Every structure is written in structure tokens, then in C-alpha cells.
Amino acid sequence: MEVSPATGQAARDGADGADGVADGRAEEERYALPIKAAHPPRPGRWLLAVVAAVFLVWLVYTIIVNENLHWDVITTFLVDGRVLGGLWVTIQLTVLSMLMGLVLGVLAAVMQLSGSPVLRGASALYTWFFRGTPLLVQLIFWFNIGLVFPKFGLGIPFGGPKLMEWQANELITPFTAALLGLGINEGAYMAEIVRAGIRSVDPGQREAAEALGMSHRQVLRRVVLPQAMRVIIPPTGNQFISMLKTTSMVSVIAGAELLTVSQRIYLGNFEVIALLVVASIWYVVLTTLASIGQHFIEKRFERGHHQHGAPRVSGRIRRNLRPFAKGGPS
């Protein structure tokens, strides 16, 4: 095989460069100092961990052996039909209230970001009022709305004829009052969350979409909101979990949810603590399931944001077990 002078020179230069790099690495390895890093001893941390572990074991033991808790009553009423019925009402109130709050929140946020001062003022008034008054007061107000408006109807406003009318006491049941109070109050908080998410999107995205000829609605639906979801989802998940527990406030208007049912049962058998433990167990189960769901929804909307993506569950387990593997932590 013939080798041209230029090719031969390039090959010799490459060989010389490779030899130089190898010599450099050998030189670095020769003078490199071995690093034997070790964590400094922390006896205080170990002592605190032992004290905390002993306290937790003692607390669990005390709760298990305490006869005043009446664990037989707890296990009996944990799957009682009345308790499960209240649990179902709690789930319904949570889901429907969050859906109502999400719709109202998106609507109020879009109004607040619009160019119309009337729409901005109406949205600001709604957010200001329902965030400024306690939820408990709003629930009691909606439950007693019949004292202010005895009838609701459809027709000509300002004293005109009515086409249809309903009695307020028949229309606003405890469940409806609870749904209105929770949903409208949640909408005021969701408006701020959605507004923050929309503002987090780079204005250049909107300008580029408008330059392509998209309408305002298309820009909002196809460009802005999908990108804003990454910011909106985490606080919305927290609001959902908070709503699960906030439904217990409906007990003041006898909304037939989990806490109301538990109260009705312990007013008959006087097992106050046992029934409160039953309700607490179900609240913990619901919030745990909601937390798991929030994790996977956040993971879905985080796709493409991080360079390497979120670690898988199996990867997390292996990483957590690594300190116990052969050779210790890497």
C-alpha cells in the first residue's frame, strides 16, 4: 500500500499526539496522591438517632397495648357500611370541589391576565373576597342561603317575570352547600396558582405562536397551558391533598362525609376516640394514595424538562440499597 507524504506526516503527528497524551496521563498518575476520604465520626448524630428510634418504638408499643383505645371497636368500624358511605361522600366532595375550583381558577386567571380592566377587576374581586373570608364562614353561609334568598329562579332580572322558580331549602342540600363552599373557595386559590404558572412561560413562546398565525385561544390552549402545567401541577396536588382533609369541616353543616358519620356513630356508642382513630386511618390512606398519584402526574409533566429525566422506581430502590452492597457506597 502506498502512503502519500502528507498522509504519512499526519499519521506520524497523530501517533506523536497519542504518545504525548499517554505520557501526560502516566505523569499525572505517578504524582497523584491517593485520596482516602472518610466521613468524620459524628457520635451526636448516632446518639440522637438511637434516642429517636427508642422513642418511636415506645410510642408504637404504648398505642398498641393501650386498652382504652379499644382496637376491637376500631377494627369493627373500619369497614362498617356507614363509615364506608361517609368515605365515599368525602371522595365525591374532594373530586367535584377540585374540578369546580380548577375550572373557576383557570377562568379567573385568564380574566386577570386579559387586557380588559372590567374582567381584571371582576377576577380580582372574586379572588380577594373568597380568599379573605374563612372557609367555615362560607360553608355556613351557603347552608343558610335560604335566609337571604328564599327562592331561586330564571327570568327577567331587576324585578321582571320569572320563568322557573325553586325553593332554596329544597335546592341547597347539605351536600350542595358543601360543594359550593369548597369549590368556590378553592377556585380563588387555584386562580393564583394558574396565574403563576401562565406567567412562568417565556413570552417569546407566545410571540412565536402569534407569528405563526394562531389565535389567542389557540396560543393559550396549545402553547401556554401545556408548558404552564409543569408549574401548576405540584401546588395543585398539594391543594387536592389539603382538600381531602378540609372536607372534614363539612361536619358543621352535617354533610354526611366521613367525620360527620363518625360523629353520629360515637354519639350513640360513646366510643369517641375509637371512631376518631377510624376516621384518621381513612384520611391517611386517602392522602397517601393521592400523594402517589401526584408523584406520577408530576413525573409525566416533567418529561423533557430534565436532561436525564426522573429516576425510575427500581433505580431509586437500587440507589437506596447501595450502601449495603459489597464494597459500601461508591
Side-chain angles (χ1 to χ4, degrees), residues 15-268:
D16 293 341
D19 292 341
V21 172
D23 293 342
R25 289 179 179 175
E27 194 72 15
E28 290 179 358
E29 292 176 357
R30 186 183 306 165
Y31 292 103
L33 297 176
I35 298 176
K36 296 181 179 179
H39 293 290
R42 293 172 178 171
R45 177 181 295 185
W46 283 101
L47 180 62
L48 185 61
V50 171
V51 171
V54 171
F55 174 76
L56 288 176
V57 171
W58 170 81
L59 184 61
V60 172
Y61 172 78
T62 304
I63 292 174
I64 292 176
V65 301
N66 194 332
E67 298 179 353
N68 295 326
L69 285 176
H70 298 171
W71 284 103
D72 55 334
V73 178
I74 293 174
T75 54
T76 300
F77 281 99
L78 196 61
V79 291
D80 185 83
R82 291 168 292 178
V83 173
L84 296 180
L87 180 67
W88 175 238
V89 174
T90 295
I91 295 173
Q92 286 180 305
L93 277 177
T94 303
V95 174
L96 294 177
S97 300
M98 281 303 299
L99 287 177
M100 181 185 294
L102 190 59
V103 172
L104 291 176
V106 172
L107 182 63
V110 172
M111 289 170 61
Q112 203 161 5
L113 296 174
S114 71
S116 170
V118 177
L119 295 180
R120 288 203 308 269
S123 175
L125 180 64
Y126 163 70
T127 307
W128 165 77
F129 181 79
F130 285 100
R131 289 178 64 198
T133 52
L135 175 60
L136 185 60
V137 175
Q138 295 176 32
L139 288 172
I140 297 174
F141 174 81
W142 285 111
F143 184 64
N144 295 283
I145 191 67
L147 299 177
V148 183
F149 302 104
K151 296 180 180 179
F152 291 98
L154 293 176
I156 306 300
F158 305 108
K162 302 293 183 184
L163 301 177
M164 302 176 68
E165 278 191 342
W166 299 275
Q167 293 291 331
N169 292 331
E170 298 176 357
L171 190 63
I172 307 298
T173 62
F175 184 86
T176 307
L179 186 60
L180 290 174
L182 294 174
I184 294 176
N185 180 266
E186 184 62 32
Y189 288 93
M190 285 303 303
E192 294 299 300
I193 294 174
V194 175
R195 185 175 65 85
I198 292 176
R199 285 192 177 279
S200 69
V201 179
D202 189 350
Q205 299 283 328
R206 179 189 293 273
E207 295 171 359
E210 290 174 349
L212 292 175
M214 290 186 178
S215 64
H216 179 71
R217 182 178 300 177
Q218 288 176 326
V219 172
L220 186 66
R221 184 164 55 89
R222 296 185 180 181
V223 178
V224 177
L225 283 181
Q227 296 185 66
M229 290 300 289
R230 183 178 55 82
V231 179
I232 295 173
I233 287 295
T236 303
N238 290 334
Q239 289 294 112
F240 185 85
I241 293 172
S242 177
M243 180 64 75
L244 271 171
K245 296 174 287 185
T246 306
T247 54
S248 61
M249 298 181 68
V250 177
S251 61
V252 298
I253 59 173
E257 37 70 52
L258 181 58
L259 183 59
T260 302
V261 172
S262 302
Q263 287 176 331
R264 288 174 181 171
I265 295 175
Y266 72 62
L267 286 177

